[in-house]
Amino acid sequence: MLYSEKVMDHFRNPRNLGKMDDADGIGEVGNAKCGDIMKMYIKVKDGIIEDVKFNTFGCGSAIASSSMATEMIKGKSIDDALELSNKAVVEALDGLPTHKIHCSVLAEEAVKAAVKDYYDKNGIAYDKEKFAPGSCPTCGE
Amino acid sequence: MYIYADNAGTTKMSPVAIDAMTKCMNEVFGNPSSLHSTGQRAAEVLQKAREDVAEALGADFNEIYFTSGGSEADNQAIRSAALFGAKKGKKHLISTKIEHHAVLHTLKKLEREGFEVTLLDVGADGIVDPADVEKAIREDTALITIMYANNEIGTLQPIDEIAKICKEKKVTFHTDAVQAVGHVPVNVHAQNIDMLSLSGHKFHGPKGIGVLYVRKGVPLFNLIEGGAQERGRRAGTENIPAIVGMAAALKEAVANMDENMVKIAAMRDRLIEGLSTIEHSRLNGDAKKRLPGNVNFCFEGIEGESLLLLLDEKGIEASSGSACTSGSLDPSHVLLAIGLPHEVAHGSLRLTLCEENTPEQIEYIIKEVPGIVSYLRDISPIWEELEKGEKKHVI
Amino acid sequence: MYIYADNAGTTKMSPVAIDAMTKCMNEVFGNPSSLHSTGQRAAEVLQKAREDVAEALGADFNEIYFTSGGSEADNQAIRSAALFGAKKGKKHLISTKIEHHAVLHTLKKLEREGFEVTLLDVGADGIVDPADVEKAIREDTALITIMYANNEIGTLQPIDEIAKICKEKKVTFHTDAVQAVGHVPVNVHAQNIDMLSLSGHKFHGPKGIGVLYVRKGVPLFNLIEGGAQERGRRAGTENIPAIVGMAAALKEAVANMDENMVKIAAMRDRLIEGLSTIEHSRLNGDAKKRLPGNVNFCFEGIEGESLLLLLDEKGIEASSGSACTSGSLDPSHVLLAIGLPHEVAHGSLRLTLCEENTPEQIEYIIKEVPGIVSYLRDISPIWEELEKGEKKHVI
Ligand SMILES: Cc1ncc(COP(=O)(O)O)c(C=O)c1O
Ligand SMILES: Cc1ncc(COP(=O)(O)O)c(C=O)c1O
Ligand code: FES
Ligand code: FES
């Protein structure tokens, strides 16, 4: 099988799927041209990500990666969420095919983008370096 | 319900072909180059299969070269015509933007070797205009290679007109007929085709075997050097069981073609009708000038791979021009060539039918697809923008 | 009695291989590039076969490239090494005079394209001297390709020594092991082999399928362009049934190798002993450093084809280095390379055994050959001259 059981589980039954009307931060990454867009919503209270939701346009591994990423940051502090790496997502999914690794990169970036939006909206200062618009390893965008 | 609707990807071998092949593996194992009885028996069986294949194509038996499949046949035909052209100073090759990669990548390589390649556009209907072919021909054109039927959107190209132009202008004409042979009538002599490629596994025959037809008088160069098999033009011990299996499948396909075409086209048209009710969807490729079994749709706002995986869960096996399925991230070059924007090209679904499919299966597909499309649109950020009017619908 | 003794020509498929293949044709018909269950099932089966083949060769699975046979593998390996060599200004290729035509003709073609080819002599025993290989290496040597075992006279080449020299001198080493794999131990990593070709039908597997092993780090160019199969290095829908059949046959051959080698070599040695009693005959190739199943004799004063036809009448299926069997009139380049004069080279007989042959069959052959040889000598004007002393016996 192309995908692990974990990937298929998260693809079939995505966790935290949907929109959030009263989100504190929204991040959207990816690009329709190359076939993948992730939109992530976070609800933050006292520096803790209380709730998270996502919508994804993309392949099986894009949907599974976003689902897994939301699960990994839900209930965590923002600092912890910012530590989430695409590697951790891939590991949690029991691996991804090589040409699908970029989907996990998008998931990592979606989390960062949502946090950045939250910081921007609330006038919280942050280290711009950390949020350097990560160029996609695959398409360079 | 289990539905195999990826017959353009590959087909299930017919029992007739499996039997012919298994019988051959057990009884006709000889090397046809060997002088002894076992070898000569193999040589006879090979000759019979060659004649059968020739008959099915309207060719002479000594115009048939067995290859390991469609890709090899395409490579050999194009490289051969290019090399013989170059000897006469002709280094211009003409093809279309919607060819299979076996053709496109071979042309790309020849381009790097100093040939000039013109890739013709096709219309929004996925069909090349013979007038464009005629206009593209130059003094130094060595070859025109245009596929008989497209593997993604199923469009049938105006092969008769193109071949006639080539004949008049004295340019060698090759057609990749991998998707056509066994499905629609083909007669190489009547249609003035100089070279034609086909592949066994696309019409319920075995994999790893194909044919390059080369009209008598058209020179052929070896892609694989070695023994004197295939009249010295393709080395390697002949794959008799596969050749026999392919010949059996082709004979069967041709014998049942008229009947199958009507039956399959009816299912195709019903499927197109049913999927067309999904809003912001579109059929890719001309509705009528297409293979009897090909249905190819785009659904705006969704991505092809997820659609395929969810269909598979429902027992429906299909394919997509979507990049994600092939290990590359570029969407189908065919869908781009017919003018679809990237984001729409990512949301394609190809259902390719054969005579084994049933009207009940078609109704089941029509029932299941809309729900899956809706679900994927619901979770798609693009669809949200489209619906909110933040982005314009393309289809 | 019916005796098939042309196993170097091709083998009868083993029931295990036929079963594996037939099962696959019926059950695993998918295209491994397809995402749906049927396709993914095929991808799994393909991966398993790749691992099995790799294990049998002492390679990693991602060093295995499936091809349509030994000829294609030879062509791709040699052309690839030549092209990558040329990029670095290395345009010298080394091989031997006794290679298979798949190698020799590819080299000949490269020569016409501007490469320089050194074809090493072999000794009267049919074996190349590693010292000659070492001496032939130049600064601009891109490739050394030397067969593992010769297909006509069965001689085993000093592959370990040659590969070691190549490793020291940093020259890519390819070996055509079509006649060796499945018959004698081969371990590509342990033996420092960079590239190796094999063919399924030489060890009771299917025809039309082979392997090119390419060590990790050695660049590989495509002979067949198109889809991204075989990690982008060999286009064409994977021939899963044949790959599975070959893997099954190879596993079986390797598992029984020790036992078979002893059994077959004993029959070989008895056959050599028996045929040696015929006067003015000689064994071609070293008596010990040869494939367990290979017996190759020359009988002065007769011509190979007539011998084969008469043997066939007696139920003995064999082959000959004789020209007539291959459509060319030149005697075997291998027999000439070991120093036989033309007239003797025409009178050769190759009997190649497998584990299916029996000691009774060997005795039958030993009983029948002398009479046929005598008969042909009786009707031969050359023999008359030899007997009268007008010409000198060569052997
Ligand atoms: C030494 C050798 N190399 C290459 C080949 C070619 O193999 P195939 O006929 O499978 O292409 C053969 C057999 O014919 C052979 O004996
Ligand atoms: C149009 C077309 N050409 C060529 C090929 C290549 O055929 P094969 O996979 O048998 O090499 C295919 C199928 O994959 C095809 O659809
Ligand atoms: S953003 Fe999707 S591949 Fe680069
Ligand atoms: S979204 Fe296409 S590869 Fe992941």
Side-chain angles (χ1 to χ4, degrees):
Chain A
M1 205 36 212
L2 177 64
Y3 292 134
S4 69
E5 260 315 306
K6 266 275 183 50
V7 173
M8 286 310 288
D9 178 39
H10 277 262
F11 168 70
R12 281 186 205 113
N13 313 296
R15 330 290 202 258
N16 307 307
L17 183 64
K19 303 181 201 21
M20 192 188 287
D21 290 331
D22 54 348
D24 297 321
I26 302 176
E28 185 172 314
V29 295
N31 141 12
K33 254 187 100 174
C34 59
D36 38 31
I37 293 186
M38 282 180 201
K39 194 164 183 179
M40 206 164 278
Y41 306 82
I42 50 171
K43 185 104 199 105
V44 184
K45 198 173 168 198
D46 302 333
I48 302 290
I49 296 176
E50 273 203 318
D51 198 10
V52 50
K53 293 268 185 217
F54 81 95
N55 271 166
T56 290
F57 161 81
C59 67
S61 90
I63 291 173
S65 295
S66 23
S67 165
M68 180 55 86
T70 58
E71 227 180 26
M72 292 171 82
I73 62 165
K74 193 168 173 177
K76 299 273 163 59
S77 71
I78 283 190
D79 288 343
D80 284 348
L82 287 177
E83 290 300 311
L84 180 78
S85 70
N86 82 298
K87 260 218 187 95
V89 174
V90 174
E91 270 165 30
L93 287 169
D94 291 341
L96 283 178
T98 328
H99 66 284
K100 296 289 189 180
I101 296 294
H102 83 97
C103 306
S104 67
V105 174
L106 276 189
E108 176 192 322
E109 288 181 352
V111 172
K112 293 210 167 96
V115 171
K116 180 171 178 289
D117 183 53
Y118 164 74
Y119 283 161
D120 285 340
K121 276 181 179 152
N122 293 282
I124 302 172
Y126 56 89
D127 178 4
K128 295 259 194 310
E129 279 290 297
K130 257 191 165 162
F131 294 89
S135 63
C136 166
T138 317
C139 67
E141 286 189 30
Chain B
M1 200 178 274
Y2 166 71
I3 304 170
Y4 184 73
D6 189 17
N7 286 284
T10 194
T11 57
K12 190 169 181 0
M13 276 181 78
S14 80
V16 170
I18 294 183
D19 282 359
M21 206 164 151
T22 316
K23 198 161 164 253
C24 208
M25 291 191 285
N26 279 300
E27 297 168 17
V28 195
F29 71 94
N31 186 328
S33 306
S34 302
L35 211 64
H36 47 64
S37 305
T38 300
Q40 288 307 300
R41 171 96 184 83
E44 279 163 29
V45 165
L46 174 61
Q47 175 60 14
K48 178 70 175 58
R50 199 184 297 281
E51 287 167 10
D52 286 348
V53 168
E55 196 187 324
L57 298 175
D60 289 340
F61 71 83
N62 52 14
E63 296 175 322
I64 301 299
Y65 298 84
F66 292 113
T67 69
S68 69
S71 300
E72 186 190 326
D74 283 342
N75 275 252
Q76 187 173 6
I78 295 171
R79 197 153 264 281
S80 182
L83 258 80
F84 281 102
K87 284 194 183 173
K88 298 191 211 151
K90 297 185 174 186
K91 299 192 76 171
H92 178 232
L93 311 165
I94 299 174
S95 189
T96 77
K97 289 195 174 148
I98 63 167
E99 300 297 313
H100 189 268
H101 283 141
V103 170
L104 288 179
H105 290 176
T106 303
L107 291 172
K108 179 63 68 196
K109 205 167 173 184
L110 286 166
E111 207 165 42
R112 283 199 298 270
E113 294 173 20
F115 286 83
E116 214 181 312
V117 178
T118 301
L119 292 186
L120 300 172
D121 283 313
V122 294
D125 56 0
I127 296 175
V128 69
D129 184 347
D132 288 346
V133 177
E134 182 147 20
K135 267 182 273 169
I137 296 177
R138 309 190 320 206
E139 276 295 312
D140 64 340
T141 303
L143 171 76
I144 295 180
T145 173
I146 293 180
M147 69 200 321
Y148 206 110
N150 182 267
N151 47 307
E152 290 190 35
I153 58 175
T155 46
L156 294 163
Q157 304 302 319
I159 295 302
D160 293 26
E161 287 96 312
I162 296 170
K164 234 176 106 190
I165 293 167
C166 292
K167 194 182 173 184
E168 276 163 22
K169 302 271 184 172
K170 296 197 172 50
V171 181
T172 303
F173 176 59
H174 167 256
T175 184
D176 173 345
V178 168
Q179 291 289 339
V181 168
H183 302 284
V184 293
V186 172
N187 187 307
V188 289
H189 284 179
Q191 294 179 279
N192 292 306
I193 296 167
D194 294 321
M195 295 172 130
L196 174 143
S197 307
L198 66 85
S199 183
H201 70 102
K202 304 291 189 183
F203 46 78
H204 306 287
K207 294 184 176 33
I209 192 77
V211 168
L212 177 57
Y213 149 81
V214 182
R215 179 190 292 282
K216 201 188 259 161
V218 174
L220 186 64
F221 126 112
N222 284 48
L223 191 67
I224 300 177
E225 297 285 345
Q229 292 90 352
E230 299 299 303
R231 297 179 298 287
R233 289 292 157 261
R234 202 286 183 182
T237 303
E238 297 90 338
N239 190 354
I240 309 263
I243 289 169
V244 166
M246 171 171 65
L250 183 55
K251 243 178 125 163
E252 200 183 8
V254 170
N256 302 326
M257 191 182 286
D258 290 347
E259 189 189 330
N260 283 340
M261 279 176 70
V262 172
K263 182 179 155 188
I264 299 169
M267 291 191 282
R268 171 197 70 190
D269 292 341
R270 169 66 190 128
L271 186 51
I272 291 173
E273 180 189 50
L275 296 181
S276 297
T277 63
I278 298 176
E279 54 172 6
H280 302 296
S281 74
R282 75 164 242 175
L283 175 71
N284 296 314
D286 191 274
K288 287 293 158 199
K289 288 182 196 143
R290 68 192 301 131
L291 287 168
N294 180 290
V295 174
N296 188 309
F297 264 79
C298 273
F299 304 104
E300 204 173 7
I302 70 168
E303 193 276 338
E305 188 196 291
S306 353
L307 179 58
L308 292 192
L309 291 172
L310 292 173
L311 283 170
D312 191 48
E313 304 260 302
K314 301 275 183 192
I316 302 169
E317 299 195 317
S319 78
S320 167
S322 163
C324 309
T325 57
S326 64
S328 133
L329 289 169
D330 307 320
S332 148
H333 64 285
V334 176
L335 298 181
L336 296 181
I338 60 171
L340 293 186
H342 275 65
E343 60 270 31
V344 177
H346 274 293
S348 79
L349 172 67
R350 180 182 76 175
L351 294 151
T352 43
L353 313 173
C354 77
E355 62 277 20
E356 301 273 297
N357 292 112
T358 63
E360 292 68 45
Q361 293 182 340
I362 302 304
E363 296 309 321
Y364 178 81
I365 299 173
I366 292 172
K367 186 165 71 64
E368 294 297 339
V369 174
I372 298 175
V373 169
S374 292
Y375 165 74
L376 287 172
R377 282 176 172 172
D378 278 350
I379 70 167
S380 162
I382 296 186
W383 187 249
E384 197 189 342
E385 292 174 29
L386 287 167
E387 288 300 271
K388 279 195 188 146
E390 292 168 10
K391 263 182 89 175
K392 276 223 166 65
H393 281 290
V394 181
I395 55 176
Chain C
M1 200 177 273
Y2 166 72
I3 305 169
Y4 184 73
D6 189 16
N7 286 284
T10 195
T11 57
K12 191 169 180 4
M13 276 180 78
S14 80
V16 170
I18 294 183
D19 282 358
M21 206 166 152
T22 315
K23 198 161 164 254
C24 208
M25 291 192 284
N26 279 299
E27 297 169 19
V28 196
F29 71 95
N31 185 327
S33 305
S34 303
L35 209 64
H36 47 63
S37 305
T38 300
Q40 289 305 302
R41 171 98 184 79
E44 277 163 31
V45 165
L46 175 60
Q47 175 60 14
K48 177 71 175 59
R50 199 184 297 282
E51 287 167 11
D52 286 349
V53 168
E55 197 189 323
L57 298 176
D60 290 340
F61 71 84
N62 53 13
E63 296 175 322
I64 301 299
Y65 298 84
F66 292 113
T67 68
S68 70
S71 299
E72 186 190 326
D74 283 342
N75 275 251
Q76 186 172 6
I78 295 171
R79 197 154 262 283
S80 182
L83 258 81
F84 282 102
K87 284 193 182 172
K88 299 192 210 151
K90 297 184 175 188
K91 300 192 74 171
H92 178 233
L93 312 165
I94 299 174
S95 189
T96 76
K97 290 195 174 146
I98 63 165
E99 301 296 313
H100 189 267
H101 283 140
V103 170
L104 288 178
H105 290 176
T106 302
L107 292 172
K108 180 61 70 194
K109 205 168 172 181
L110 286 166
E111 208 166 41
R112 282 199 299 269
E113 293 172 22
F115 287 83
E116 213 181 313
V117 178
T118 301
L119 292 185
L120 300 172
D121 282 315
V122 294
D125 56 1
I127 296 174
V128 69
D129 184 346
D132 288 346
V133 177
E134 182 147 20
K135 266 181 274 169
I137 296 177
R138 309 191 319 205
E139 276 296 313
D140 65 340
T141 303
L143 170 76
I144 295 179
T145 173
I146 293 179
M147 68 202 320
Y148 206 110
N150 182 267
N151 48 306
E152 290 189 35
I153 58 176
T155 45
L156 293 163
Q157 303 302 319
I159 295 303
D160 293 25
E161 287 95 313
I162 296 170
K164 234 177 105 192
I165 294 168
C166 292
K167 194 182 172 185
E168 276 162 23
K169 302 272 184 172
K170 295 196 171 52
V171 181
T172 303
F173 176 58
H174 167 255
T175 184
D176 173 344
V178 168
Q179 291 289 339
V181 169
H183 301 285
V184 293
V186 173
N187 185 307
V188 289
H189 284 180
Q191 294 180 279
N192 293 306
I193 295 167
D194 294 320
M195 296 173 130
L196 173 144
S197 308
L198 66 85
S199 183
H201 70 102
K202 304 290 189 184
F203 46 80
H204 305 289
K207 294 183 177 34
I209 192 76
V211 168
L212 176 57
Y213 148 82
V214 183
R215 178 190 294 282
K216 201 189 258 161
V218 174
L220 186 63
F221 127 111
N222 284 47
L223 192 66
I224 300 177
E225 298 284 344
Q229 291 92 351
E230 298 298 305
R231 299 179 296 288
R233 288 291 157 266
R234 202 286 185 181
T237 304
E238 297 90 338
N239 190 355
I240 310 262
I243 289 169
V244 166
M246 172 171 63
L250 184 54
K251 242 178 126 163
E252 199 183 9
V254 169
N256 302 327
M257 191 181 286
D258 289 348
E259 188 188 331
N260 284 340
M261 278 175 70
V262 172
K263 182 180 154 187
I264 299 168
M267 290 192 282
R268 171 197 70 189
D269 292 340
R270 168 64 191 130
L271 187 51
I272 291 173
E273 180 189 49
L275 296 181
S276 298
T277 63
I278 297 175
E279 54 171 7
H280 301 298
S281 73
R282 75 164 244 174
L283 174 71
N284 295 313
D286 191 274
K288 287 294 159 196
K289 290 181 194 144
R290 66 192 303 132
L291 288 169
N294 180 289
V295 174
N296 188 310
F297 264 80
C298 274
F299 303 104
E300 204 172 8
I302 68 169
E303 195 275 338
E305 188 194 295
S306 352
L307 179 58
L308 292 192
L309 292 173
L310 292 174
L311 284 170
D312 192 47
E313 305 258 301
K314 301 276 183 189
I316 302 169
E317 299 194 317
S319 76
S320 168
S322 161
C324 309
T325 56
S326 65
S328 130
L329 288 170
D330 307 323
S332 148
H333 64 285
V334 176
L335 298 181
L336 296 181
I338 60 172
L340 293 186
H342 276 61
E343 61 272 29
V344 177
H346 274 294
S348 79
L349 171 67
R350 181 182 76 175
L351 293 151
T352 43
L353 312 173
C354 77
E355 63 275 22
E356 300 274 297
N357 291 112
T358 62
E360 292 68 43
Q361 292 182 340
I362 303 302
E363 296 309 321
Y364 179 82
I365 299 172
I366 293 172
K367 187 167 68 69
E368 294 297 338
V369 175
I372 298 173
V373 169
S374 286
Y375 165 75
L376 287 171
R377 283 175 172 171
D378 280 350
I379 67 169
S380 158
I382 296 187
W383 188 250
E384 201 188 339
E385 291 174 31
L386 287 166
E387 288 299 274
K388 279 192 187 151
E390 292 167 11
K391 263 182 89 173
K392 275 224 166 67
H393 280 290
V394 181
I395 55 176

